[in-house]
């Protein structure tokens, strides 16, 4: 049994960072009693899963990416995912084939995925900009392609929604009109075929958490703005998105984490590994916590 | 062409020098590199391969980093079918790998982890292909015209068929092993067990060769000797990736590597390859270049407790 959070905080923590807001928003997409997996190179998601396990989802099966350890209790986050630090306290570990088999057999409840292009249907590209003419080779998606089809639900995330101008004044949208290559499958293929007609196990993207807002996907499988941060606006989202996202009838404000959650995140990540995911201009953002 | 039968290896003493191990990798071979990300990659063996100027290699694998990036820089590759090559969020994209693929010197035939697993499983079972449900609807089939679809004769659902992958050589670094070729891998095995069973040859570097009688006392994944073609005892053979419990990941050395790689191919050649690969005559020379016993002691210090372990990974920690 994982240790629950202590009941009293230090009484000093009064604000949190964008990273801590995003971790909390990601953790809220996890349901208790489900098997949840994170990949490598995603400390925000690693922390979100540990937060969920110690708050609302104590019976979640936490499978750590790269080590495939079950319910580990790492003493701190290492800067690389396949490190012995990361599976300390695990009750057992899976082999690579077992991890993917259980997703293919319908046992994996949720997986977290990202992309350097994410389109309105939740397709993600982590393979290459430009295809088949390769303009920029991206690192590749690991097992994301397979799990995007097989995991019951997906939560997407990116910390680079804001489309900054490059030196030539061009803006490359992370939330792009079209993915050059579909690495991870969303709700609709490049030629307009519906995911549900492909007979995959999984139901596709359910949530997208960015540094500007929280999105869900409507009945058409189209991305829809659902909530904002206290310091972002609908205009920020529209200006920085390469297509027109749909808007929920009521746009909420993402609630901040409880103080105990913030303190837990800071204890588990003393090296601030997750801040490598956050852009410099977003490091200054602060949010009042409950 | 029916699937070929695969050999077994029964030589009671398979010990060879590191260079002799590397000499068994032929130009143009399909190789499976063991370990993953920053863990237990057979780096000494890869450096030995680069020193021999072996070329035309195809790599297949799951999630990798400095290993494939180094092979890309050294001119050994012509095709990559990896699932991921990078330095995670810590340093980012793999500079040499990117240059090699973007210039067209290395053909990008990316795969994904479970697709690879199924293809290796087909080889392991002596079957020509395996079916799977995922991948359909993504762009991967356009990179891989060899994939086929079929309608399942039992359920009527559409499935993807992926052909067997039988690597010519698996390169594995194990913590322990014996002269006969039994291997013990501690901690996450990544795809090493699949690689060992699916490949025609297994070349293993071993941190510590021990008597066979001791292997039974060791925890971990055991690979039987008959899969293994040749072994070499190479302490620190995974450096700068981790080989726990012997040593942790050398993040400062990786940062040095990354900084040189980011500056361009010529700078990487001058500041890294010419020093740590071609500038070192052999592995002993390499160990001296990276700081000898002091480096080994620093990386072994993780076992001294959490503070020591954390210290290894702090920004600004000294090489």
């Amino acid at each position: 049994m994982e240790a629950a959070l202590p009941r009293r905080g230090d009484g000093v923590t009064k604000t949190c960072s964008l990273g801590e807001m995003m971790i909390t928003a990601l953790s809220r997409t996890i349901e208790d009693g489900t098997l949840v997996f994170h990949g490598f190179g995603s400390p925000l998601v690693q922390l979100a899963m540990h937060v969920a396990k110690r708050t609302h989802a104590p019976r979640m099966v936490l499978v750590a990416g790269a080590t495939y350890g079950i319910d580990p209790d790492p003493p701190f986050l290492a800067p690389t995912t396949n490190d012995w630090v990361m599976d300390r306290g695990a009750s057992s570990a899976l082999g690579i084939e077992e991890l993917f088999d259980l997703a293919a057999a319908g046992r994996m409840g949720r997986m977290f995925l990202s992309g350097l292009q994410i389109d309105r249907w939740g397709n993600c590209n982590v393979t290459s900009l430009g295809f088949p003419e390769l303009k920029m080779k991206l690192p590749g998606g690991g097992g994301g392609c397979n799990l995007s089809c097989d995991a019951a639900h997906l939560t997407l995330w990116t910390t680079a929604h804001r489309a900054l101008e490059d030196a030539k004044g061009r803006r490359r949208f992370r939330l792009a009109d079209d993915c050059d290559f579909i690495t991870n499958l969303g709700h609709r293929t490049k030629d307009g075929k519906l995911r549900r007609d492909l007979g995959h196990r999984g139901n596709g993207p359910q949530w997208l958490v960015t540094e500007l807002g929280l999105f869900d996907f409507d009945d058409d499988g189209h991305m829809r703005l659902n909530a904002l941060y206290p310091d972002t606006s609908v205009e920020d989202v529209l200006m920085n998105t390469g297509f027109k996202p749909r808007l929920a009838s009521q746009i909420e404000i993402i609630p901040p984490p409880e103080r105990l959650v913030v303190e837990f995140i800071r204890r588990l990540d003393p090296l601030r590994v997750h801040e490598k995911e956050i852009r410099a201009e977003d490091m200054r953002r602060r949010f009042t916590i409950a | 062409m029916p699937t070929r039968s695969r050999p077994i290896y029964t030589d009671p003493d398979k010990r060879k020098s590191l260079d002799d191990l590397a000499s068994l990798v032929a130009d143009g071979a399909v190789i499976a590199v063991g370990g993953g990300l920053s863990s237990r990659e057979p780096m000494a063996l890869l450096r030995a391969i680069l020193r021999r100027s072996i070329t035309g290699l195809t790599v297949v694998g799951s999630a990798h980093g400095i290993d494939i990036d180094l092979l890309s820089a050294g001119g050994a590759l012509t095709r990559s079918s990896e699932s991921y090559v990078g330095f995670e969020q810590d340093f980012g994209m793999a500079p040499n790998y990117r240059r090699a693929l973007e210039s067209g010197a290395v053909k990008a035939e990316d795969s994904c982890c479970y697709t690879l697993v199924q293809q290796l499983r087909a080889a392991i079972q002596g079957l020509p292909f395996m079916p799977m449900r995922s991948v359909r609807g993504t762009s991967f089939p356009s990179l891989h015209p060899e994939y086929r679809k079929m309608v399942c004769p039992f359920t009527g659902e559409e499935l993807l068929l992926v052909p067997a992958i039988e690597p010519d050589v698996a390169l594995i670094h194990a913590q322990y092993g014996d002269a006969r070729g039994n291997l013990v891998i501690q901690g996450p095995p990544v795809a090493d067990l699949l690689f060992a069973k699916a490949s025609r040859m297994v070349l293993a570097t071993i941190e510590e060769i021990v008597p066979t009688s001791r292997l039974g006392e060791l925890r971990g994944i055991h690979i039987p000797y008959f899969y293994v073609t040749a072994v070499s005892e190479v302490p620190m053979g995974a450096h700068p990736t981790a080989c726990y419990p012997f040593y942790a990941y050398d993040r400062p050395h990786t940062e040095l590597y990354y900084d040189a790689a980011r500056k361009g191919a010529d700078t990487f050649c001058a500041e890294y390859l010419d020093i740590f690969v071609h500038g070192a005559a052999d592995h002993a020379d390499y160990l001296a270049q990276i700081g000898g016993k002091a480096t080994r002691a620093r990386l072994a210090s993780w076992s001294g407790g959490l503070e020591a372990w954390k210290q290894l990974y702090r920004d600004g920690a000294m090489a």
Side-chain angles (χ1 to χ4, degrees):
Chain A
M1 183 73 197
E2 297 285 329
L5 295 184
R7 276 180 298 176
R8 291 170 62 86
D10 62 13
V12 178
T13 312
K14 295 200 161 51
T15 62
C16 75
S17 65
L18 171 72
E20 289 155 351
M21 282 291 276
M22 289 186 70
I23 290 163
T24 307
L26 289 164
S27 79
R28 291 187 186 116
T29 71
I30 293 171
E31 288 126 356
D32 197 16
T34 58
L35 187 147
V36 185
F37 178 67
H38 70 72
F40 45 81
S42 36
L44 290 173
V45 173
Q46 286 175 294
L47 289 163
M49 285 169 57
H50 285 285
V51 165
K53 184 129 183 103
R54 283 162 184 79
T55 54
H56 67 277
R59 292 175 67 170
M60 145 198 182
V61 182
L62 192 164
V63 186
T67 65
Y68 304 136
I70 303 292
D71 299 331
D73 188 13
F76 64 92
L77 243 60
T80 177
T81 320
N82 194 348
D83 193 287
W84 277 24
V85 172
M86 297 315 304
D87 67 353
R88 297 300 87 177
S91 52
S92 62
L94 309 177
I96 186 170
E97 64 277 39
E98 192 175 6
L99 180 276
F100 286 99
D101 283 349
L102 60 84
R107 285 193 166 101
M108 184 179 289
R110 187 170 302 273
M111 167 66 180
F112 293 81
L113 291 169
S114 190
L116 275 87
Q117 291 176 324
I118 302 172
D119 73 14
R120 72 191 72 206
W121 310 113
N123 293 303
C124 299
N125 176 14
V126 234
T127 303
S128 71
L129 296 185
F131 182 78
E133 284 304 309
L134 197 154
K135 289 200 207 96
M136 184 195 269
K137 181 71 189 87
L138 306 178
C145 162
N146 307 117
L147 296 178
S148 72
C149 299
D150 287 339
H153 298 287
L154 304 174
T155 300
L156 311 181
W157 90 104
T158 178
T159 54
H161 182 169
R162 194 178 281 114
L164 307 170
E165 282 186 10
D166 67 13
K168 292 177 185 157
R170 289 172 312 193
R171 300 169 82 214
R172 191 145 67 196
F173 290 104
R174 177 68 56 113
L175 266 59
D177 188 40
D178 191 31
C179 286
D180 298 350
F181 184 99
I182 296 181
T183 313
N184 306 326
L185 184 63
H187 291 288
R188 213 173 269 210
T189 68
K190 258 188 176 308
D191 48 15
K193 202 165 177 185
L194 302 183
R195 173 195 187 94
R196 67 174 86 94
D197 294 336
L198 286 165
H200 285 309
R201 283 266 181 231
N203 300 298
Q206 190 178 28
W207 299 102
L208 164 68
V209 179
T210 82
E211 84 280 20
L212 298 181
L214 170 73
F215 300 79
D216 62 2
F217 292 83
D218 66 14
D219 290 344
D220 296 335
H222 194 289
M223 196 183 291
R224 176 171 66 182
L225 179 64
N226 187 281
L228 293 161
Y229 293 90
D231 61 352
T232 56
S233 65
V234 173
E235 287 66 39
D236 290 334
V237 168
L238 296 179
M239 270 171 40
N240 287 288
T241 304
F243 55 87
K244 199 168 182 312
R246 294 178 184 167
L247 304 178
S249 55
Q250 185 163 357
I251 311 270
E252 311 281 343
I253 298 294
I254 299 170
E258 286 180 43
R259 175 174 298 139
L260 293 175
V261 167
V262 176
E263 288 164 4
F264 168 73
I265 293 168
R266 293 177 189 179
R267 277 199 306 280
L268 181 52
D269 190 15
L271 301 179
R272 313 300 287 169
V273 164
H274 76 268
E275 290 178 357
K276 280 274 163 73
E277 283 197 71
I278 308 288
R279 284 174 166 175
E281 62 269 28
D282 287 317
M283 289 293 293
R284 291 188 293 270
R285 293 167 65 185
R286 281 289 175 278
F287 304 89
T288 304
I289 60 176
Chain B
M1 187 181 70
T3 314
R4 295 179 293 175
S5 58
R6 217 166 284 121
I8 60 168
Y9 299 96
T10 58
D11 183 351
D13 189 353
K14 294 172 180 159
R15 288 173 295 175
K16 288 186 186 300
S17 73
L18 179 61
D19 190 52
D20 285 345
L21 231 58
S23 74
L24 294 172
V25 179
D27 287 338
V30 175
I31 66 169
V33 179
L37 297 175
S38 309
S39 177
R40 224 175 25 71
E41 287 167 348
M43 297 301 297
L45 184 49
L46 300 182
R47 288 185 290 265
I49 285 170
L50 292 181
R51 285 187 202 110
R52 295 188 69 87
S53 303
I54 294 164
T55 59
L57 301 177
T58 292
V59 282
V60 299
S62 54
H64 287 262
I66 196 168
D67 50 350
I68 306 303
D69 192 69
L70 181 69
L71 288 177
S72 305
L77 302 185
T78 53
R79 206 151 54 100
S80 170
S81 198
E82 294 288 336
S83 308
Y84 170 88
V85 179
F87 294 78
E88 304 178 78
Q89 79 289 335
D90 200 25
F91 300 113
M93 297 204 238
N96 292 309
Y97 173 75
R98 267 192 62 191
R99 275 193 288 273
L101 275 72
E102 288 170 13
S103 73
V106 176
K107 195 157 185 277
E109 290 183 6
D110 285 41
S111 189
C112 5
C113 296
Y114 195 44
T115 312
L116 172 75
V117 164
Q118 291 297 74
Q119 294 183 278
L120 294 169
R121 277 171 153 171
I124 290 167
Q125 295 170 37
L127 292 169
F129 67 86
M130 284 289 271
M132 59 195 303
R133 203 178 280 106
S134 63
V135 182
R136 293 170 304 120
T138 72
S139 303
F140 282 97
S142 57
L143 266 184
H144 291 279
E146 72 275 20
Y147 296 171
R148 294 283 187 275
K149 284 180 187 166
M150 76 171 285
V151 174
C152 171
F154 301 103
T155 64
E157 63 188 318
E158 186 186 71
L159 297 171
L160 187 78
L161 309 184
V162 291
I165 287 183
E166 179 193 61
D168 294 308
V169 195
L171 309 174
I172 289 173
H173 185 74
Q175 281 94 345
Y176 300 99
D178 66 6
R180 192 178 285 270
N182 288 296
L183 304 177
V184 177
I185 291 172
Q186 297 186 332
V190 199
D192 289 14
L193 199 54
L194 296 172
F195 285 156
K197 293 177 182 175
S199 301
R200 295 192 70 77
M201 269 206 297
V202 177
L203 306 178
T205 50
I206 297 173
E207 206 59 43
E208 202 175 301
I209 291 188
V210 298
T212 307
S213 58
R214 237 204 100 198
L215 291 179
E217 303 158 10
L218 293 170
R219 289 162 53 109
I221 306 280
H222 290 241
I223 298 179
Y225 67 89
F226 58 83
Y227 290 117
V228 178
T229 315
V231 299
S232 184
E233 186 174 69
V234 185
M236 295 283 282
H239 183 273
T241 69
C243 186
Y244 290 105
F246 296 95
Y247 46 93
Y249 160 54
D250 193 344
R251 184 169 181 254
H253 183 92
T254 306
E255 190 172 11
L256 174 156
Y257 174 103
Y258 196 84
D259 286 345
R262 202 168 40 184
K263 289 185 210 156
D266 293 341
T267 307
F268 183 74
C269 200
E271 292 184 4
Y272 196 90
L273 283 179
D274 285 352
I275 298 168
F276 297 103
V277 180
H278 304 299
D282 54 22
H283 186 60
D285 239 23
Y286 171 83
L287 292 182
Q289 297 273 30
I290 61 160
K293 284 197 176 113
T295 294
R296 179 156 188 144
R298 172 172 61 84
L299 297 173
S301 70
W302 72 274
S303 61
L306 284 182
E307 277 313 310
W309 206 351
K310 234 182 276 180
Q311 189 57 36
L312 284 174
Y313 293 149
R314 277 188 205 285
D315 281 332
M318 297 303 285

